[in-house]
Amino acid sequence: MSLCIVILAAGQGTRMYSDKPKVLHNLAGKPLLAHVLQTAELIKHRELFVVYGHGGELVPEEMGEQPVTWIKQEEQLGTGHAVQQVLPHIPDVDDVLILYGDIPLITHGTLEALIKSSKETGFSLLTTFLDDPRGYGRIIRNANENITAIIEEKDATEEQRLLCEVNTGFMSIKAELLKRWVSLLKNENKQNEYYLTDIVSMAAKDNVAITPVIAESDVEVRGINNRNQLAEAERYYQLVQAHHLMHHGVGLSDPARFDLRGELEVGRDNEIDINVVIEGRVKLGNNVTIGANCYIKDTIIADNVHVLPNTMIDNAIIGNGCRIGPFARIRPDTTLAEEVHIGNFVELKKTDISKGSKVNHLTYLGDTHVGSGTNIGAGTITCNYDGANKHKTIIGDNVFVGSDVQLIAPVKVNDGATIAAGATITKDVAENELAISRTDQKSIANWKRPLKK
Ligand code: UD1
Ligand code: CA
């Protein structure tokens, strides 16, 4: 006998008003369904099934390789109908744990408690008490406090709607019982759906007691049905992550204005100012400061690095003691060695810069190598694209590139060379040479400017 976990994820999510299936909407940069799956995988000795349907193959495709059996629910006729699609794959002797793809914050501990409780009677149900129970199925108990039914809000009477104990949707049940009752479901209700929740009154009729488990915090059982609820869950999740980071020594100027959509590995004495977004996998060394409004994705940053406000870094490696920004854009495949300075309005792409070089103002370097101790003047542009292909620019050590220079790639500027301001460089520059390409300055004395008519 083993455990089968069934995750219901076939619904459209009408209340999201979106073409995307609801379970693919992101929470902290990851689909809702991925959160549920991740928690489900913490449970040992189980088989995983995901019921998908709305949006066709989009859900399994977007989720990629997963250790689950995908079961398609061709038409979304309700939660009971969704479960019915999986039952032929589940042996009678197994236990079944039902999870919802739109309830992402459920914790491993609560699920273990639910599984354990179902051993008593064969059926346990997770409920919670909400100040505002709107939208949830209400739990009906008899005079002995036993659960006898779940009534969906749309089918509930005024009086039933006042009940604050709600169905979270999570249940653990013997497959044999589940199969018996699901086969008897009818869709005679306001939504003409086969409600899984109707098996509760069937259990009561068959004298199978339901063991209630009450969720410790209502946050973990909140369903995401609309964008407001998604945003609320996001803020909650972000705050939990922020406090976790602060607990490990990261200085956050304001935990409410920090977003981590992925994984952040940190050293000691990192300071992060407000409105910083971290995506993918980011690693920070020690004594790193990140200024306000920065976006950093899939990047490794070494020690003593200062990222100044309004900087974007994507897929880069940043060496010790670098200073980047404000207003810099570091694009993928960029590597900065130690003590490189990148200033405002500088864009780098597929560029590696060696120790101590400076690119301080208004510059684009793409497909470029810069040696060490080199200074790139304001307004330098590597013309790396000829309209069809990309070409490389190689700049050596201790080079001085004056302001407003275009380097027409492929081109090489050797060590110690100097490029005069305003030059357009189309040919390689030899070591220690000065390259200059300018039209001579003319002077016309006593020049009369035109007068306004
Ligand atoms: C459901 C419960 C309600 C509970 C609430 C908790 C039923 C009838 N109602 O209501 O008692 O309080 O969850 O959040 O079960 N799904 C399918 N196939 C379908 C329909 C839905 O896979 O045909 C999936 C959805 O993708 C979703 C889950 O089942 O992940 C719940 O469906 P939803 O329509 O959101 O149900 P609620 O109205 O929230
Ligand atoms: Ca729901």
Side-chain angles (χ1 to χ4, degrees):
M1 187 180 79
S2 63
L3 175 69
C4 292
I5 301 181
V6 177
I7 303 176
L8 303 186
Q12 174 184 6
T14 321
R15 291 162 276 179
M16 296 294 281
Y17 297 98
S18 168
D19 292 336
K20 187 155 72 174
K22 177 166 71 178
V23 295
L24 290 182
H25 282 263
N26 279 351
L27 176 75
K30 202 164 68 177
L32 295 175
L33 179 56
H35 287 268
V36 181
L37 263 174
Q38 202 176 7
T39 307
E41 281 178 46
L42 298 174
I43 298 167
K44 297 211 172 67
H45 312 297
R46 41 66 196 156
E47 220 180 310
L48 284 167
F49 296 88
V50 179
V51 184
Y52 72 104
H54 182 80
E57 302 308 310
L58 215 58
V59 173
E61 270 169 26
E62 292 256 315
M63 293 297 297
E65 272 298 307
Q66 297 286 346
V68 307
T69 305
W70 295 98
I71 306 282
K72 191 161 188 181
Q73 184 192 18
E74 291 291 346
E75 268 184 292
Q76 289 75 59
L77 303 178
T79 48
H81 180 258
V83 168
Q84 198 168 30
Q85 311 309 304
V86 192
L87 293 179
H89 303 268
I90 298 178
D92 287 1
V93 292
D94 280 10
D95 287 324
V96 182
L97 175 68
I98 311 253
L99 311 183
Y100 284 31
D102 67 345
I103 309 184
L105 299 177
I106 190 70
T107 62
H108 177 210
T110 297
L111 294 181
E112 292 288 1
L114 192 62
I115 295 165
K116 198 164 158 227
S117 300
S118 71
K119 304 278 185 234
E120 294 169 26
T121 60
F123 191 175
S124 63
L125 182 72
L126 187 70
T127 76
T128 195
F129 290 85
L130 296 179
D131 293 339
D132 177 8
R134 269 179 301 175
Y136 289 83
R138 307 297 202 280
I139 302 289
I140 312 291
R141 292 184 184 244
N142 65 15
N144 300 324
E145 286 295 302
N146 295 322
I147 297 175
T148 56
I150 296 173
I151 307 290
E152 289 305 298
E153 176 161 282
K154 289 195 174 117
D155 305 295
T157 62
E158 286 290 322
E159 203 180 327
Q160 287 168 332
R161 284 184 193 189
L162 296 175
L163 295 168
C164 286
E165 188 181 8
V166 301
N167 173 35
T168 66
F170 297 92
M171 57 177 76
S172 178
I173 182 170
K174 278 198 175 329
E176 178 208 340
L177 295 172
L178 185 62
K179 287 183 182 190
R180 187 195 315 161
W181 296 324
V182 163
S183 68
L184 301 173
L185 290 176
K186 297 209 167 57
N187 65 349
E188 288 152 9
N189 51 54
K190 282 267 162 59
Q191 305 187 79
N192 294 116
E193 283 184 7
Y194 296 91
Y195 292 162
L196 179 62
T197 44
D198 284 348
I199 69 169
V200 168
S201 57
M202 294 177 185
K205 259 191 219 116
D206 287 356
N207 288 317
V208 173
I210 297 165
T211 313
V213 175
I214 295 170
E216 273 180 28
S217 103
D218 62 66
V219 186
E220 62 169 313
V221 295
R222 288 202 184 265
I224 309 290
N225 298 305
N226 58 40
R227 292 178 191 264
N228 310 60
Q229 289 166 337
L230 181 59
E232 270 171 38
E234 178 79 28
R235 286 336 306 160
Y236 170 80
Y237 192 88
Q238 290 300 346
L239 215 51
V240 170
Q241 292 191 131
H243 282 276
H244 178 82
L245 285 168
M246 290 191 293
H247 199 76
H248 286 83
V250 179
L252 293 178
S253 297
D254 182 357
R257 285 181 289 173
F258 169 75
D259 286 78
L260 171 57
R261 302 174 189 150
E263 280 158 52
L264 176 63
E265 207 182 303
V266 294
R268 291 176 78 81
D269 293 304
N270 294 316
E271 303 279 348
I272 300 179
D273 208 339
I274 58 166
N275 295 334
V276 168
V277 177
I278 305 275
E279 239 177 69
R281 281 169 176 270
V282 172
K283 190 175 168 184
L284 304 182
N286 302 316
N287 297 308
V288 173
T289 60
I290 299 176
N293 308 319
C294 287
Y295 170 89
I296 302 177
K297 183 182 174 193
D298 295 323
T299 286
I300 298 173
I301 295 181
D303 299 343
N304 306 311
V305 170
H306 300 297
V307 180
L308 303 179
N310 300 301
T311 291
M312 284 183 75
I313 306 178
D314 180 0
N315 235 293
I317 298 173
I318 312 294
N320 280 337
C322 285
R323 198 187 67 206
I324 304 175
F327 293 100
R329 181 170 182 211
I330 314 296
R331 292 171 52 200
D333 302 322
T334 291
T335 302
L336 307 184
E338 308 92 272
E339 279 143 50
V340 168
H341 290 183
I342 303 298
N344 45 208
F345 309 109
V346 170
E347 176 181 353
L348 304 179
K349 186 218 78 173
K350 268 198 183 157
T351 287
D352 69 283
I353 303 183
S354 308
K355 188 173 177 178
S357 289
K358 297 187 174 111
V359 189
N360 272 331
H361 331 264
L362 302 149
T363 286
Y364 170 67
L365 302 182
D367 306 288
T368 299
H369 162 79
V370 177
S372 59
T374 285
N375 187 80
I376 307 284
T380 297
I381 292 176
T382 53
C383 305
N384 59 330
Y385 185 52
D386 60 14
N389 297 301
K390 302 270 167 68
H391 303 280
K392 219 172 145 87
T393 301
I394 297 175
I395 302 171
D397 299 339
N398 301 310
V399 167
F400 182 90
V401 178
S403 296
D404 188 28
V405 165
Q406 300 95 54
L407 296 146
I408 315 290
V411 73
K412 186 172 181 194
V413 179
N414 285 287
D415 295 351
T418 303
I419 313 279
T424 301
I425 299 299
T426 52
K427 290 180 280 197
D428 291 358
V429 181
E431 266 185 47
N432 303 321
E433 203 172 68
L434 166 71
I436 184 162
S437 79
R438 272 182 208 158
T439 47
D440 282 343
Q441 186 171 331
K442 266 190 274 179
S443 296
I444 299 171
N446 301 317
W447 175 255
K448 296 274 180 294
R449 283 189 227 134
L451 293 171
K452 203 168 183 172
K453 284 178 197 155

